[in-house]
Amino acid sequence: MPHGIQSAKEIREDVLHRLRSGADSVIRMPGRALNYRVNDLHVVNLRAASQKSADKYWFDVTPEFYEAPTVDFFVYACGSAAAAYIFPVQDFARMIDGASLGGQKQVPNFTLYVDTHEFEPAGRARSTHRVSEFYNRWEPLFGSDSDPDAPASEPSDYSLPDIGGRVAEPPPRALSVTERIIRDTALAKSVKEAAGYECGLCGIRLLLGPGKPYAESHHVRPLGGSHSGLDVRDNILCVCPNCHVLLDYGAVKLDPDRHPSLSTESVRYHNAVIAKSTAA
């Protein structure tokens, strides 16, 4: 593999780190598919592909999608965790409908074009779907971090097609008790609004469409684990998804002079504990 190109396994590990940075719990579910339960709210199927051809990435659909329709979101990472599409099951089922089958598993295939944000079902080149609205749209997965002003989603009554006449048993389930941090989503939203949805590190302002800016809220001193950070305004920084990953990994340090809205204690903690010694 050429230097600098991640393997699919490495990309999945980065995506899981991204999920864990925004969620209070991410639990691998039993079975063949790469399914994870996030915040005990949603089941996420995770797929990743390393570089294929420029900005073109090819995927197939896991058989579990049809055999045991328990997945709420599909995450397809294209070359890195910073280039991922997060599809709710209803949207994904609509777009993949009618795609050609292929491979040993005889399951639908499709192609994602990152440069144009197009979803092309196999065998239906004239039936592409624009999917920019799903690009790096992580927050709906986390439940407590989703937009508090957004209307609650209605339960899906979508009936998944049966293929090959197979009748599948539902996957085994285990009862678990988890302790979750309750975040102030209104506070996080107000921080992003005050920043104009502009990243506090690189200055970029992402738009998912007309009048639809997107940013993420980063707790400079993390809330979970042994960090015991506070869910307060002077511990939250508005950032883009790329810079969010850099901060989570400790790949960059923070300059207190550039971020007067952050508490000195939070910045010092990030630089001393989270950021690596090699960080810029």
Side-chain angles (χ1 to χ4, degrees), residues 35-255:
N35 290 342
Y36 299 84
R37 182 171 289 281
V38 178
N39 278 351
D40 205 31
L41 295 173
H42 301 301
V43 177
V44 177
N45 179 249
L46 171 58
R47 304 292 298 280
S50 56
Q51 189 177 40
K52 295 296 184 183
S53 174
D55 291 311
K56 176 181 178 181
Y57 294 86
W58 176 88
F59 293 94
D60 61 12
V61 181
T62 59
E64 285 78 3
F65 172 60
Y66 295 101
E67 296 174 356
T70 59
V71 175
D72 301 304
F73 289 90
F74 292 87
V75 174
Y76 287 94
C78 301
S80 77
Y85 294 88
I86 297 89
F87 299 121
V89 61
Q90 297 95 331
D91 295 280
F92 182 78
R94 170 179 55 82
M95 293 186 296
I96 199 66
D97 184 43
S100 300
L101 307 183
Q104 294 181 344
K105 298 178 181 178
Q106 289 296 298
V107 293
N109 304 303
F110 65 95
T111 303
L112 283 169
Y113 297 87
V114 179
D115 56 341
T116 58
H117 295 305
E118 289 181 302
F119 180 112
E120 180 184 297
R124 302 185 63 194
R126 296 184 180 181
S127 301
T128 60
H129 304 274
R130 294 282 295 177
V131 292
S132 55
E133 65 182 293
F134 305 113
Y135 186 67
N136 286 334
R137 193 165 179 258
W138 296 99
E139 291 192 352
L141 296 180
F142 305 143
S144 60
D145 282 340
S146 59
D147 187 346
D149 297 327
S153 59
E154 295 294 329
S156 170
D157 59 356
Y158 183 86
S159 179
L160 294 174
D162 178 25
I163 60 174
R166 290 178 291 184
V167 178
E169 295 294 329
R173 294 176 179 266
L175 177 64
S176 63
V177 179
T178 60
E179 184 179 85
R180 295 177 51 208
I181 297 172
I182 306 301
R183 303 168 187 241
D184 188 340
T185 56
L187 173 62
K189 184 180 180 183
S190 70
V191 169
K192 291 185 284 188
E193 288 178 339
Y197 287 83
E198 183 177 295
C199 178
L201 285 188
C202 69
I204 193 172
R205 185 173 186 267
L206 298 175
L207 286 175
L208 301 181
K212 294 176 64 178
Y214 176 80
E216 297 178 355
S217 55
H218 172 70
H219 287 84
V220 178
R221 178 165 182 163
L223 304 185
S226 61
H227 304 296
S228 301
L230 299 178
D231 191 19
V232 293
R233 184 175 296 274
D234 62 8
N235 189 40
I236 301 175
L237 183 63
C238 174
V239 291
C240 71
N242 285 354
C243 290
H244 201 166
V245 173
L246 293 176
L247 288 167
D248 285 340
Y249 273 100
V252 292
K253 290 187 176 182
L254 292 171
D255 181 353

